[in-house]
Amino acid sequence: MPAKILVVDDEPSFKSIINQKFRKRIRVKELEFSFASNGVMALEKLQAQPEIDIILTDISMPEMDGITLLSTLADLNHPTLKTVIISASSDFHLIRKAMNLGAFDFLTKPIDLEDLEITVNKTLNYVQKLKDKMEQEHLIEAAQKLYESEKRLESFLETLPVGVFVIDANGQPFYTNQTAQNIFGKGIIAGATPEKIPEIYQLYLAGTKKFYPYQQQPIFQALKGQNTRVDNIEIRQGEKIIPVEVSASPIFDDSGKLIYAIATFQDITERKKAEAEIIEFTQKLEVKNTELSKLNKAYSHFVPKQFLRFLGHESILDISLGESVQKEMSILFSDIRAFTTLSEGMSLTENFKFINSYLSRMEPLITANHGFIDKYIGDAIMALFGRCPDDAVQAALGMLFELNKYNTMRNQYNKPPIKIGIGINTGSLMLGTIGGINRMDTTVISDAVNLASRLQDLTKIYSTSLLISQHTFFALKNYAKYNYRFLGQVKVKGKKDMVSLFEFFDADPPELAEFKIKTKTLFEKGVIAYCSQHKEEANEIFQRIISLNSQDKTAYFYLQDNEKI
């Protein structure tokens, strides 16, 4: 880049002298000259070209002379700009005044061209030294700021409750905070190669004796520009095993070049422990039969075909009083919430139309999933499923999805939405006929039925749509395909032992279901704390969940119930 010189002189011939003298250096772009005929024009040139290095200025000029120009330049923030005065030999008092105002050097007229070139070179050298010094000062200042910024960042990282591990672009460990050192049991190991990091820091594939493949580690995926998260890494310190969740991200400089990869390590021992405790809770629970449950009478000819087949008959004409069979079945109870309030606004005829409209939509979902309706109890439904518990769960979810469609239609007619609760239990029961010579009915006898009814009642308390017992949950072919969460244990009326509850929320509004999925582990940890009577921990967890989503009514129940303890 050429050095830039502004020549300020009102003699037109001086411009030709300058161009002639420095023509070679101008041609090779070593020097670049611009010209002004007075101080006013010079200031305009400076404003347009602030990168000018030297001003060669005459003293005597119209409009604004060189002395005035010099005094004006002193107010400008241009620390490397230097001025050389050009004056007649008789103007020594003006030259001295100019030097006092900050002129770097002076030349006398007539101009000695050799002296001019020497002065220009000397002044440019001095300007360059000033620039170099300022650049060095800026670099030192920038380095100091960078150091201070890094120290602040390091202080911040040290306060984080998760371990932080940073590697450079070559995969070499660069930084770990104290939390990471506590997890690893060591800090930065000099000269550690990427291939050796799993062995040095004892990173294992969870549940195996194999070191975690370094190419698959999140922090090395981050070196490829990818954001990654895994929870299948274990860090081992002797006999101690620490399961961790690792998240890693790339770090780029201003030019987009990858310079570091950063990973956070979170100890998830408590989360894994909570999950194990849930399994342990539910596996130890076994509910004994204690109570007889009787179902309402129904007209004898309205007996489901499935009921007849369980008794070994195809026709109701073949049934005799006292026949019975014991079966392992799933029982579904559903009920409309606040039905009394709904019915009060309708006539008797409208009540029947409403119930039939609702039941006609629910019944096909039960039969389509290999179940049959054993009883209609007003607006309530009792259904039995003999093939597998998955049929009962699929039917219940189908009923809830169909209810969503029904409510959309009701909304078009400005009618309030319907809410229902569904409880499902699985157990051994007796199906048979009871009555007398002239009148008999089919019925189901078992406290498994009573528990299913109680579960439906509990949906109101827990503000859920679908609850199932541990008997049904552990009999499912693959409960992982559903969206569910553990709601804890309750002592149901009429039951001596505790019952474990599971909420299935696939049919919830999408936003609420997504929230429950994201907070599942946290919620279940809160339930464990509640069941273990850790009041403060439970309160903190459920308050946190409610702050994230106030629509989680079950969290409200636990928070309010916990405060009563």
Side-chain angles (χ1 to χ4, degrees), residues 4 56 86 119 175 198 208 226 228 245 254 275 284 315 328 337 348 386 475 493 536 561:
K4 296 186 177 183
L56 299 176
I86 301 173
T119 302
Y175 167 80
T208 73
Q226 301 175 10
T228 314
E245 180 180 82
D254 293 340
E275 292 172 355
K284 290 182 177 179
S315 171
E328 182 81 6
R337 303 264 180 85
L348 291 176
K493 181 180 179 182
E536 292 184 2
D561 197 59

Side-chain angles (χ1 to χ4, degrees), residues 218-316:
I219 198 164
F220 290 106
Q221 295 295 317
L223 284 180
K224 300 176 183 178
Q226 301 175 10
N227 292 295
T228 314
R229 175 180 294 178
V230 300
D231 62 357
N232 61 345
I233 295 179
E234 290 178 349
I235 297 172
R236 299 181 184 175
Q237 300 178 9
E239 298 297 321
K240 185 178 181 181
I241 298 177
I242 305 173
V244 292
E245 180 180 82
V246 184
S247 300
S249 301
I251 299 176
F252 302 93
D253 63 14
D254 293 340
S255 66
K257 180 182 177 182
L258 190 147
I259 53 174
Y260 296 108
I262 184 170
T264 59
F265 290 74
Q266 183 172 6
D267 186 339
I268 56 173
T269 301
E270 291 303 316
R271 189 174 84 186
K272 293 293 185 181
K273 183 179 178 182
E275 292 172 355
E277 287 177 347
I278 292 171
I279 300 296
E280 184 179 355
F281 264 115
T282 54
Q283 287 177 340
K284 290 182 177 179
L285 297 175
E286 182 179 356
V287 180
K288 299 178 180 179
N289 295 336
T290 59
E291 192 175 357
L292 175 66
S293 176
K294 296 180 180 180
L295 304 177
N296 289 341
K297 294 179 181 180
Y299 187 67
S300 62
H301 285 189
F302 292 91
V303 178
K305 289 183 179 180
Q306 294 94 327
F307 201 109
L308 297 177
R309 288 170 184 159
F310 281 126
L311 295 176
H313 302 296
E314 288 296 325
S315 171
I316 196 171

Side-chain angles (χ1 to χ4, degrees), residues 81-97:
L81 176 65
K82 295 301 170 186
T83 304
V84 176
I85 293 295
I86 301 173
S87 177
S89 58
S90 59
D91 293 338
F92 284 112
H93 68 286
L94 290 178
I95 292 174
R96 182 170 180 79
K97 184 176 182 180

Side-chain angles (χ1 to χ4, degrees), residues 138-425:
H138 288 156
L139 288 174
I140 292 173
E141 183 181 358
Q144 181 64 29
K145 289 181 178 178
L146 178 60
Y147 173 77
E148 293 172 356
S149 176
E150 289 177 346
K151 294 301 290 183
R152 287 195 299 270
L153 176 59
E154 182 177 339
S155 297
F156 169 72
L157 293 177
E158 288 298 331
T159 65
L160 292 179
V162 297
V164 178
F165 191 85
V166 181
I167 61 176
D168 62 22
N170 297 317
Q172 296 293 314
F174 177 77
Y175 167 80
T176 62
N177 68 354
Q178 188 59 51
T179 303
Q181 293 177 36
N182 294 339
I183 294 174
F184 294 133
K186 62 190 70 175
I188 294 294
I189 304 299
T193 62
E195 295 83 358
K196 290 292 185 180
I197 283 181
E199 181 178 353
I200 291 173
Y201 293 99
Q202 293 292 287
L203 307 181
Y204 285 83
L205 186 62
T208 73
K209 295 182 179 180
K210 298 179 180 179
F211 287 120
Y212 204 96
Y214 83 91
Q215 305 95 328
Q216 298 177 21
Q217 290 186 60
I219 198 164
F220 290 106
Q221 295 295 317
L223 284 180
K224 300 176 183 178
Q226 301 175 10
N227 292 295
T228 314
R229 175 180 294 178
V230 300
D231 62 357
N232 61 345
I233 295 179
E234 290 178 349
I235 297 172
R236 299 181 184 175
Q237 300 178 9
E239 298 297 321
K240 185 178 181 181
I241 298 177
I242 305 173
V244 292
E245 180 180 82
V246 184
S247 300
S249 301
I251 299 176
F252 302 93
D253 63 14
D254 293 340
S255 66
K257 180 182 177 182
L258 190 147
I259 53 174
Y260 296 108
I262 184 170
T264 59
F265 290 74
Q266 183 172 6
D267 186 339
I268 56 173
T269 301
E270 291 303 316
R271 189 174 84 186
K272 293 293 185 181
K273 183 179 178 182
E275 292 172 355
E277 287 177 347
I278 292 171
I279 300 296
E280 184 179 355
F281 264 115
T282 54
Q283 287 177 340
K284 290 182 177 179
L285 297 175
E286 182 179 356
V287 180
K288 299 178 180 179
N289 295 336
T290 59
E291 192 175 357
L292 175 66
S293 176
K294 296 180 180 180
L295 304 177
N296 289 341
K297 294 179 181 180
Y299 187 67
S300 62
H301 285 189
F302 292 91
V303 178
K305 289 183 179 180
Q306 294 94 327
F307 201 109
L308 297 177
R309 288 170 184 159
F310 281 126
L311 295 176
H313 302 296
E314 288 296 325
S315 171
I316 196 171
L317 298 175
D318 300 324
I319 292 180
S320 61
L321 183 64
E323 288 189 73
S324 63
V325 63
Q326 184 173 356
K327 298 287 292 183
E328 182 81 6
M329 302 188 77
S330 294
I331 308 102
L332 179 153
F333 268 89
S334 74
D335 189 46
I336 296 177
R337 303 264 180 85
F339 176 71
T340 302
T341 303
L342 284 171
S343 64
E344 286 175 352
M346 297 183 283
S347 66
L348 291 176
T349 301
E350 289 171 337
N351 263 289
F352 274 92
K353 286 183 178 179
F354 164 70
I355 292 175
N356 287 326
S357 175
Y358 162 74
L359 295 176
S360 66
R361 285 170 169 79
M362 300 296 107
E363 187 267 348
L365 280 308
I366 294 171
T367 57
N369 287 283
H370 311 284
F372 64 93
I373 295 175
D374 180 68
K375 293 286 187 297
Y376 288 121
I377 312 168
D379 60 288
I381 298 173
M382 174 184 169
L384 302 176
F385 298 82
R387 197 178 73 146
C388 64
D390 289 85
D391 291 339
V393 174
Q394 291 288 351
L397 292 174
M399 292 166 67
L400 292 170
F401 282 119
E402 181 61 26
L403 182 66
N404 292 338
K405 297 178 183 177
Y406 186 38
N407 281 331
T408 299
M409 186 192 74
R410 287 177 59 83
N411 182 58
Q412 295 173 357
Y413 294 93
N414 296 319
K415 294 185 177 181
I418 300 170
K419 293 184 179 180
I420 66 173
I422 301 176
I424 300 176
N425 184 41

